Amino acid sequence: MDSIYLLPGEERCVNFRDSDGIPKVHYTYCSLHGRLFNCTCRSKDEAQRLCEDWLVTQDRCYIN
């Protein structure tokens, strides 16, 4: 398996087909704080929505 190196704010989206032949997307995003978000979804739009939800919860962790 390849190592993924992303700079803060970068994303990577890889299209593939699962074992049943259904198209999927593996999405990875590196937050500005260096934390990685990974998911596998049916579309890039769905993955980005999940990532946005995740980012909202991450921002709450940094509020003083």
Side-chain angles (χ1 to χ4, degrees):
M1 180 170 206
D2 294 335
S3 295
I4 298 173
Y5 297 101
L6 297 174
L7 296 173
E10 285 188 329
E11 67 181 359
R12 181 176 182 206
C13 187
V14 178
N15 297 314
F16 69 97
R17 292 189 180 270
D18 68 6
S19 60
D20 296 326
I22 299 170
K24 299 260 177 131
V25 171
H26 183 75
Y27 182 84
T28 306
Y29 175 80
C30 182
S31 75
L32 297 178
H33 296 287
R35 295 190 178 186
L36 285 178
F37 171 80
N38 292 297
C39 71
T40 301
C41 294
R42 294 181 189 141
S43 69
K44 184 176 179 180
D45 289 338
E46 180 183 2
Q48 287 176 328
R49 279 192 301 274
L50 289 174
C51 184
E52 288 172 5
D53 291 344
W54 175 79
L55 283 171
V56 169
T57 63
Q58 293 301 305
D59 286 343
R60 288 184 188 148
C61 294
Y62 291 101
I63 295 173
N64 291 332

